[in-house]
């Protein structure tokens, strides 16, 4: 098992980037401990460790929006995992395909501020 | 600045996923503090915080393999950043385009073990 080479952090976790294999879309980042990594490798579906709830969770266990694992990689420092998946439904609990739906950079911010649609379009 | 909404962790850091915009390849994961995030937004090139060296670094400052920022996003929890870049040269210090060049999953491991090319092809 190559997973023995993974370097977990001081909390026993490793960040896992989840990417939709077909589209290349980066869907989310979540954390795995050794047990969730083993379950992911064994079952072919993604399992994570919730830092807030301090428990394992299987992606899609309530929503049905499961992630079928296609390929898994680790990086040159062995402290990050990349999981390529076939995403059913939406990866994000907000209903979007990807959790990365908010622009951070200035270009987008400027574009958003050009007009305020509530003021521009709703007044007679 | 949308960056004010970013939730840095207890060490003042946020993980940043770097993706090549043209190919969709996930190149690397590195960490930003508030200063490196600000420099990235200001300069249009990626700046990170090295946890081992405890210093800011500009990607490509020694190798010339800079990353020109095209788009930046943050996720629904505002605790991870996605940076889409135009990668010059190789993202990885090992010379590969992506840092994620090692297979973790069992399928690859089995494939690698089917033959040992040193034994199969080099003996008469």
């Amino acid at each position: 098992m190559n997973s023995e080479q993974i370097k977990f952090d001081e909390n026993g976790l490793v960040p896992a980037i989840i990417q939709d294999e077909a589209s290349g879309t980066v869907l989310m980042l979540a954390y795995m401990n050794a047990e969730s990594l083993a379950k992911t490798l064994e079952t072919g579906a993604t399992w994570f460790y919730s830092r807030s709830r301090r428990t394992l969770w299987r992606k899609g266990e309530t929503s049905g929006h499961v992630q079928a694992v296609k390929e898994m990689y680790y990086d040159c420092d062995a402290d990050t995992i990349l999981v390529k998946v076939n995403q059913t439904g939406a990866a994000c609990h907000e209903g979007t395909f990807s959790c990365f739906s908010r622009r951070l950079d200035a270009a987008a911010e400027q574009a958003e501020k050009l007009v305020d649609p509530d003021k521009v379009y709703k007044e007679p």
Side-chain angles (χ1 to χ4, degrees), chain A:
Chain A
M1 290 285 277
N2 289 329
S3 59
E4 293 169 2
Q5 300 179 20
I6 299 300
K7 293 174 189 162
F8 296 93
D9 69 11
E10 65 275 16
N11 297 313
L13 301 176
V14 62
I17 302 166
I18 313 300
Q19 181 181 32
D20 182 61
E21 187 190 43
S23 65
T25 304
V26 175
L27 298 171
M28 56 187 281
L29 182 136
Y31 292 85
M32 292 184 177
N33 62 4
E35 186 180 359
S36 61
L37 174 56
K39 279 182 167 288
T40 299
L41 286 163
E42 287 168 15
T43 65
T46 51
W47 284 80
F48 303 109
Y49 180 83
S50 169
R51 296 173 298 170
S52 56
R53 290 180 285 124
R54 299 189 180 185
T55 180
L56 291 190
W57 60 287
R58 183 173 63 83
K59 177 65 183 171
E61 61 190 352
T62 54
S63 67
H65 293 172
V66 294
Q67 296 170 334
V69 175
K70 308 301 284 184
E71 297 178 349
M72 294 179 70
Y73 296 84
Y74 60 102
D75 72 346
C76 49
D77 295 326
D79 63 1
T80 307
I81 292 172
L82 171 65
V83 188
K84 297 189 179 185
V85 303
N86 180 359
Q87 173 71 52
T88 296
C92 189
H93 72 287
E94 295 183 339
T96 50
F97 187 56
S98 166
C99 292
F100 295 94
S101 59
R102 294 170 175 79
R103 283 293 289 265
L104 176 62
D105 43 334
E109 187 181 44
Q110 288 166 358
E112 287 166 4
K113 287 186 175 177
L114 285 177
V115 299
D116 180 341
D118 286 341
K119 293 183 179 175
V120 171
Y121 295 113
K122 292 189 179 177
E123 289 177 356

